[in-house]
Amino acid sequence: MFTETTSLGLDVHARSIVAAAIDGVTGEMIERRFPNDPLAICAFAAELSKVHGPLRVIYEAGPTGFELARTLQDAGFHVLVAAPSKLLRPAGDRVKTDRRDAQLLARLDRAGDIVEVRIPTRSEESARDLVRARDDARRDLMASRHRLGKLLLRHGYAFPGKTTWGPTYDAWLREIRRDALPAHGAGSVAAFDDGYDAVQHALARRDRLGTSILELAEDSEFTEITHRLACLRGISTLTGFALAVEIGDWDRFTGSTIAAYLGLVPSEYSSGQSRVQGGITRTGNSHARRLLIESAWQHKPGYLPGPTIRKRWQQVPATIAERADLGNRRLHHRWDVLTKHRKRHTVANTAIARELAGWCWSLATMEA
């Protein structure tokens, strides 16, 4: 009977996979190279488990995604997807090859030094793809608007109003295009037309993806958590759905550890009698961290529940609504305290976002 586990490290690339296994009893190293074919890896893993006993498969998270892990899990194997930023690599190691990377993963697993990444379900990954596609469209829209605005500014045209990219600003753009820009040449007119079309296309993309998210938020496995998170001020349905799919399993955290996972805790370098804290660590899920940072700003103004948030409270049990109201009051109070202590607004907002992460966890995991 086998009592030791054989560790199988995989260095996975788009077209190839290098495997290195360490027998848990004899320490024997078994190495193979395959094309990127999950079925071939499953066959090799099955062969190993017959000869060398129970098997644990490890590979790094990366652009190849989680399909290999799911295929291996469906075949009955124990799979760990390692966090690349947490891998312990020797400081003096100056040779990096696929073979050595696979061996390193197997050795780290033998030592129990693998920090694993949670493998999302296919439905979670599908919803996450949609959320990130909208975020890409939002970034493209912002970049397109900046390029168009700077084009006009180079020619000396600055919008005289205060609010840009509304109906008034659009009318101003059309007026400049019709009356002033032709004097600068056909090239400038063509560049303006291209920039304006890019803005309209990116705007349509963002809105179309946003509509798809709203439909999914009302009828999916993430609906309940989305409604709960949207009870907090500054978290819209779009933001709540994005947080729900990015975090996935909220039960794996506590109110304090979720902030560390999102990179919202201060970095620290302490040695002996010296203790130095710096900016936030910025590790973990950057998309969820950005959403919380943006939402935290909404807690600065005075808090008075309006019709929108009261309508959201009606979609959740009364205990959840009461908890959300308590969180809104607490976060606004923290803003006031930090402002009285003359904290910089960016520092204060980050502190609020850190606490907001805890309130989101509280609502997501609270029993109604």
Side-chain angles (χ1 to χ4, degrees):
M1 178 178 179
F2 293 101
T3 58
E4 293 289 338
T5 300
T6 296
S7 299
L8 173 59
L10 302 176
D11 191 56
V12 183
H13 295 277
R15 294 180 178 83
S16 66
I17 297 177
V18 175
I22 300 177
D23 187 285
V25 177
T26 65
E28 176 188 0
M29 180 74 75
I30 305 102
E31 297 177 335
R32 296 286 190 278
R33 178 181 287 272
F34 302 91
N36 192 336
D37 182 2
L39 296 180
I41 297 298
C42 286
F44 175 63
E47 178 186 341
L48 276 179
S49 62
K50 288 180 181 178
V51 179
H52 299 278
L55 191 69
R56 186 163 52 238
V57 186
I58 314 98
Y59 73 92
E60 290 185 59
T64 54
F66 299 98
E67 279 304 315
L68 176 59
R70 297 191 188 103
T71 302
L72 287 165
Q73 285 181 335
D74 292 342
F77 296 104
H78 184 194
V79 184
L80 300 180
V81 179
S85 62
K86 301 292 186 180
L87 291 179
L88 302 176
R89 298 183 183 275
D93 193 350
R94 295 292 186 269
V95 178
K96 183 184 184 303
T97 65
D98 295 349
R99 174 173 169 268
R100 290 169 71 95
D101 285 347
Q103 291 177 355
L104 176 64
L105 288 170
R107 291 195 178 101
L108 289 175
D109 180 63
R110 295 296 303 157
D113 287 331
I114 294 292
V115 178
E116 62 179 304
V117 173
R118 177 180 174 271
I119 301 173
T121 64
R122 286 186 173 89
S123 61
E124 287 176 348
E125 194 164 35
S126 175
R128 193 177 295 176
D129 288 340
L130 178 60
V131 166
R132 293 182 179 181
R134 184 187 181 277
D135 190 58
D136 290 339
R138 180 193 62 82
R139 292 174 184 270
D140 291 343
L141 175 60
M142 182 172 61
S144 299
R145 284 173 167 177
H146 284 175
R147 284 193 291 267
L148 184 60
K150 299 308 178 284
L151 169 67
L152 295 178
L153 190 61
R154 286 196 300 272
H155 291 295
Y157 302 111
F159 182 57
K162 294 183 178 180
T163 303
T164 57
W165 300 110
T168 304
Y169 185 79
D170 189 72
W172 176 79
L173 287 176
R174 293 175 179 274
E175 181 182 353
I176 293 295
R177 165 63 176 81
R178 182 184 66 250
D179 300 335
L181 208 57
H184 296 274
S188 297
V189 173
F192 176 91
D193 290 342
D194 179 73
Y196 187 83
D197 288 344
V199 169
Q200 297 303 314
H201 178 66
L203 181 61
R205 280 180 57 210
R206 188 200 65 179
D207 292 346
R208 182 173 62 252
L209 290 167
T211 300
S212 298
I213 290 175
L214 291 176
E215 292 174 354
L216 195 59
E218 293 302 322
D219 185 20
S220 70
E221 62 185 282
F222 310 103
T223 300
E224 181 182 357
I225 291 183
T226 300
H227 287 167
R228 290 185 176 205
L229 298 181
C231 292
L232 289 168
R233 191 160 64 144
I235 298 183
S236 65
T237 301
L238 289 173
T239 301
F241 183 82
L243 289 172
V245 301
E246 290 290 346
I247 301 298
D249 181 13
W250 293 79
D251 291 323
R252 58 196 169 121
F253 301 109
T254 65
S256 57
T257 60
I258 189 170
Y261 168 75
L262 295 172
L264 287 169
V265 297
S267 58
E268 182 172 341
Y269 183 83
S270 299
S271 179
Q273 302 302 314
S274 173
R275 182 171 185 261
V276 179
Q277 287 188 308
I280 58 174
T281 59
R282 296 178 182 272
T283 58
N285 194 308
S286 59
H287 183 55
R289 181 172 61 252
R290 180 187 63 80
L291 293 173
L292 289 170
I293 290 287
E294 292 181 354
S295 298
W297 287 108
Q298 306 303 316
H299 289 274
K300 186 180 180 182
Y303 175 59
L304 183 63
T308 300
I309 201 165
R310 290 185 181 277
K311 183 178 179 180
R312 293 176 183 171
W313 288 350
Q314 295 174 0
Q315 297 177 314
V316 299
T319 53
I320 301 296
E322 292 174 4
R323 181 70 174 168
D325 181 56
L326 180 63
N328 290 332
R329 295 181 188 279
R330 161 72 182 180
L331 292 169
H332 174 65
H333 172 71
R334 289 296 299 158
W335 253 115
D336 287 344
V337 170
L338 293 172
T339 301
K340 290 177 181 177
H341 283 80
R342 299 183 181 276
K343 293 290 185 181
R344 284 184 301 169
H345 284 187
T346 51
V347 174
N349 187 71
T350 303
I352 299 301
R354 180 164 54 247
E355 189 165 339
L356 176 60
W359 283 100
C360 288
W361 169 85
S362 175
L363 292 181
T365 59
M366 182 178 177
E367 292 185 3

